[in-house]
Amino acid sequence: MFIKSAAVALLVTAALATSGTATIAASQSEQIGDRKPLGAGTAYSWVRRDASGAVSSFGLSFDEKALTNLSGEMQEIALALPAIDGAPFRTAVIDWNPHGHPPEHVYTVPHFDFHFYTIDEASRMAIAPQGEAAEAKPDAELLPAGFVTDGATVPMMGKHYLSGASPEFNGGTFTATPIYGYYGGHLIFVESMVTVDYLKSKPALSQPLAQPARFERSGAYPTTYSVAYDAGKHRYDIAFSALARHN
């Protein structure tokens, strides 16, 4: 079992709402979405575009202070993403789990769940743990090979699928794990689940993201994911990148 706790506590804070475009590289620009407090620092959502103007990645970032003065209770922070041409992702949601969640001795360590949803917030908040939509499973071809679920649908999240080959299920240690999420049998999010200890190690992780045989909804979907510390900016980046078009 790797169910996330159903007792999701919502963080109600005033948004430090800003938007704009900031150049981050000669060939890439960054459009910022929402900014909100995280720990003693700040987190913000973003979309990055290449020199041609095409979206190259989406994600969220937070400064070093964000890993200090974190709450002892579960928290949730929703950050609207800037509009992504041709891609369905709309909202980034940070779920802080100070005590982790089951299964015991696997995910019961302090960590973040970084969700990127394709549905709007009203639809996400309506996700229920029981009922026809909660019981529905995606067709096998809509799942990456080897991805499994405990069968539970977490309220306001969905049903989580991850690779059975993940290190934490094969004698290794949980550090950063990609997840696909579904509700009503439809893909509604991609996720990067990352421990605080791994973030504090200032990682430079970038890996291919497992792909299903097909996507039910046409659009651009990421083929890589990364968890990286930017030493020059004293910042952590959680990114889904190398978007590929599926019709």
Side-chain angles (χ1 to χ4, degrees), residues 78-102:
L79 303 162
L81 286 164
I84 307 175
D85 300 338
F89 299 94
R90 306 173 68 165
T91 309
V93 178
I94 302 172
D95 291 286
W96 163 234
N97 302 280
H99 309 294
H101 52 68

Side-chain angles (χ1 to χ4, degrees), residues 6 19 37 44 50 66 69 85 141 150 168 177 243:
S19 63
Y44 65 91
D50 61 25
N69 199 33
D85 300 338
E141 62 184 2
D150 66 354
E168 58 266 31
T177 299
L243 275 61

